[in-house]
């Protein structure tokens, strides 16, 4: 790379010498010298001068090029492509505006303004193409994605909406998202970030049997979502190298994609983090709790007390859906089916807990 930079300096120096040295000779009254007033000599002097300077500055240029390569390699191909297309469109617009500016009878103004327009419109075009990549892809592929899969007769493909649902690792492993998606209660585009998929692959490759099984189940759930869901399931390459925690990356990605983006999770802590960052969140546990049968204080129910509670003389029972019932004074009834009276219900995003006491009391 260092040799490449030095050769570039040599060629650029020759071109600059051909353009700028003859006017310099006239300014210094040296144009009458036949040796200097020669294009070959001007090219040679300019090339020699910049080639000499390259020995002093080539290391800095090599570092700059290496840094630019590192940055460009980290940028997703889609972002780079759409950003470049936006840059080209911005430069084309600046070029055509230059024709209108040429008609203005202000020599200095007409020379400087096209250059400024090229920089400004080129930069704006790149930023628009880079930031609006997902919307542009959605605009051009909306109909194509809805008609790719063969659907049963009489079933119309769902329209892809602009809202995004970011899936975290826990909700993919949980598996209920596939059943909920199949019912049609979740609209929009399901987005699985690459850093979530990477974490899922690490779990699937774990030496721990339980973790490995959960990770492979998560990968199967993703495959099921892609095969059966009528609307789009997208894998995004966007990442945040300065953040290590997957939860914080999800929050930042949700903020970047806009106000319509929601994070789908069953992680109680991530739910709280999203609330602190004012990011919309859909908690699968909240949905599960919402569709559970309503229990009213004073209602009687038949339960089986199976173990001790944390407090003195408590017993613990469970409903068929897994809801825990804490029976005050139920320790003496362990292993028995008894009738209890509900005293209170505690409802949180982490789940629901019912407090009761034996009906005889």
């Amino acid at each position: 790379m260092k040799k490449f930079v030095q050769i570039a300096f040599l060629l650029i120096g020759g071109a600059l010498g051909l353009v700028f040295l003859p006017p310099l000779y006239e300014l210094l009254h040296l144009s009458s010298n036949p040796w200097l007033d020669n294009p070959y000599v001007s090219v040679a002097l300019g090339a020699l001068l910049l080639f000499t300077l390259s020995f002093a500055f080539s290391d800095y240029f090599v570092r700059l090029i290496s840094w630019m390569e590192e940055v460009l390699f980290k940028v997703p191909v889609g972002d780079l492509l759409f950003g470049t297309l936006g840059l080209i469109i911005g430069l084309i617009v600046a070029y055509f505006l230059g024709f209108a500016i040429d008609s203005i009878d202000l020599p200095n103004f007409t020379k400087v303004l096209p250059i400024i327009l090229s920089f400004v419109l080129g930069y704006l075009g790149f930023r628009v193409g880079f930031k609006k990549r997902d919307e542009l892809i959605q605009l051009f592929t909306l109909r194509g994605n809805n008609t790719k899969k063969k659907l049963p007769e009489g079933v119309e493909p769902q329209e892809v909406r602009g809202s995004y649902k970011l899936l975290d690792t826990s909700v993919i492993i949980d598996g209920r998202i596939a059943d909920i998606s199949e019912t049609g209660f979740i609209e929009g585009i399901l987005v699985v970030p690459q850093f979530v998929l990477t974490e899922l692959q690490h779990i699937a490759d774990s030496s721990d049997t339980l973790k490995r099984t959960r990770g492979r189940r998560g990968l199967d759930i993703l495959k099921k979502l892609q095969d059966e869901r009528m609307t789009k399931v997208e894998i995004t390459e966007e990442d945040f190298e300065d953040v290590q925690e997957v939860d914080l990356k999800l929050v930042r990605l949700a903020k970047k994609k806009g106000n319509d983006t929601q994070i789908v999770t069953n992680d109680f802590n991530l739910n709280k983090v999203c609330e602190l960052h004012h990011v919309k969140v859909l908690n699968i546990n909240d949905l599960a709790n919402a569709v559970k049968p309503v229990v009213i204080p004073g209602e009687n129910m038949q339960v089986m007390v199976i173990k001790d509670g944390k407090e003195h003389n408590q017993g613990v029972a469970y409903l068929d859906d897994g809801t825990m019932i804490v029976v005050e004074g139920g320790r003496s009834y362990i292993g028995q089916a008894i009738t209890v009276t509900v005293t209170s219900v505690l409802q949180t995003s982490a789940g629901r807990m019912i407090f009761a006491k034996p009906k005889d009391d």
Side-chain angles (χ1 to χ4, degrees):
M1 189 182 295
K2 187 173 182 179
K3 292 180 179 179
F4 171 79
V5 170
Q6 290 176 342
I7 293 173
F9 267 73
L10 185 68
L11 297 177
I12 294 172
L16 293 178
L18 181 63
V19 173
F20 292 106
L21 285 182
L24 182 63
Y25 297 153
E26 293 182 4
L27 184 64
L28 298 176
H29 305 289
L30 298 174
S31 57
S32 59
N33 191 323
W35 286 99
L36 293 178
D37 192 15
N38 187 318
Y40 298 104
V41 174
S42 299
V43 170
L45 288 176
L48 181 62
L49 178 62
L50 236 63
F51 183 71
T52 304
L53 290 175
S54 69
F55 288 96
F57 296 101
S58 59
D59 289 336
Y60 298 101
F61 276 91
V62 168
R63 292 176 188 173
L64 177 62
I65 294 172
S66 300
W67 175 79
M68 291 177 65
E69 282 184 353
E70 185 178 351
V71 170
L72 289 175
F73 286 151
K74 289 182 180 179
V75 176
V77 177
D79 291 347
L80 194 61
L81 175 62
F82 280 91
T84 305
L85 289 176
L87 172 64
I88 293 172
I89 293 173
L91 293 176
I92 291 174
V93 173
Y95 176 76
F96 283 109
L97 286 176
F99 287 110
I101 295 172
D102 286 339
S103 61
I104 302 174
D105 191 17
L106 293 173
N108 295 329
F109 182 76
T110 55
K111 288 181 179 179
V112 175
L113 189 57
I115 300 174
I116 297 175
L117 282 175
S118 298
F119 278 104
V120 173
L121 294 179
Y123 174 76
L124 289 177
F126 179 83
R127 295 296 296 176
V128 169
F130 186 84
K131 290 290 186 182
K132 300 294 183 180
R133 174 181 70 91
D134 293 327
E135 295 181 22
L136 292 171
I137 292 175
Q138 179 185 337
L139 178 66
F140 290 113
T141 61
L142 179 60
R143 294 183 179 179
N145 287 338
N146 285 338
T147 57
K148 279 182 181 178
K149 295 182 179 179
K150 294 182 179 179
L151 301 176
E153 292 184 3
V155 178
E156 294 293 332
Q158 297 178 3
E159 179 183 357
V160 178
R161 308 228 176 153
S163 60
Y164 295 97
K165 304 293 188 295
L166 303 181
L167 304 184
D168 81 329
T169 311
S170 63
V171 82
I172 296 173
I173 294 175
D174 179 83
R176 290 177 290 178
I177 183 67
D179 299 326
I180 298 171
S181 176
E182 190 175 355
T183 62
F185 279 100
I186 292 185
E187 298 178 336
I189 303 172
L190 295 184
V191 179
V192 182
Q194 181 59 49
F195 53 82
V196 169
L197 190 58
T198 301
E199 185 181 43
L200 198 59
Q201 289 173 334
H202 289 163
I203 295 174
D205 294 336
S206 173
S207 57
D208 185 270
T209 304
L210 180 59
K211 285 186 177 181
R212 185 166 62 248
T213 303
R214 295 176 66 213
R216 291 176 180 176
R217 169 182 166 79
L219 295 175
D220 292 337
I221 292 296
L222 278 182
K223 181 62 177 175
K224 182 179 179 182
L225 283 171
Q226 287 183 325
D227 292 341
E228 298 182 2
R229 184 174 167 84
M230 294 181 183
T231 50
K232 188 176 181 182
V233 178
E234 177 182 307
I235 306 293
T236 178
E237 299 289 339
E238 293 184 73
D239 200 349
F240 303 93
E241 299 292 338
D242 56 325
V243 179
Q244 297 297 326
E245 294 80 5
V246 173
D247 289 354
L248 291 181
K249 289 185 178 184
L250 276 170
V251 171
R252 288 183 61 175
L253 182 58
K255 288 182 176 181
K256 182 178 179 181
K257 284 188 171 292
N259 295 329
D260 292 335
T261 304
Q262 297 170 308
I263 295 177
V264 185
T265 183
N266 62 356
D267 188 335
F268 180 74
N269 294 325
L270 178 56
N271 197 112
K272 292 297 182 183
V273 171
C274 291
E275 291 177 359
L276 291 174
H277 286 273
H278 304 289
V279 173
K280 296 178 182 178
V281 61
L282 296 177
N283 194 312
I284 299 296
N285 288 333
D286 286 341
L287 177 61
N289 293 331
V291 298
K292 286 179 179 179
V294 178
V295 179
I296 302 173
E299 181 179 348
N300 296 328
M301 60 176 60
Q302 190 80 10
V303 298
M304 172 70 75
V305 182
I306 61 172
K307 64 178 183 179
D308 291 342
K310 289 185 177 180
E311 302 297 331
H312 175 68
N313 208 28
Q314 280 184 346
V316 175
Y318 293 93
L319 295 180
D320 292 338
D321 59 9
T323 302
M324 185 170 71
I325 303 175
V326 179
V327 182
E328 297 295 335
R331 183 177 183 181
S332 59
Y333 297 98
I334 292 176
Q336 301 179 33
I338 62 172
T339 302
V340 296
T341 302
V342 177
T343 57
S344 62
V345 179
L346 179 63
Q347 183 80 48
T348 68
S349 293
R352 180 174 65 167
M353 184 181 295
I354 299 174
F355 293 88
K357 62 181 180 179
K359 187 178 179 182
D360 296 339
D361 295 341

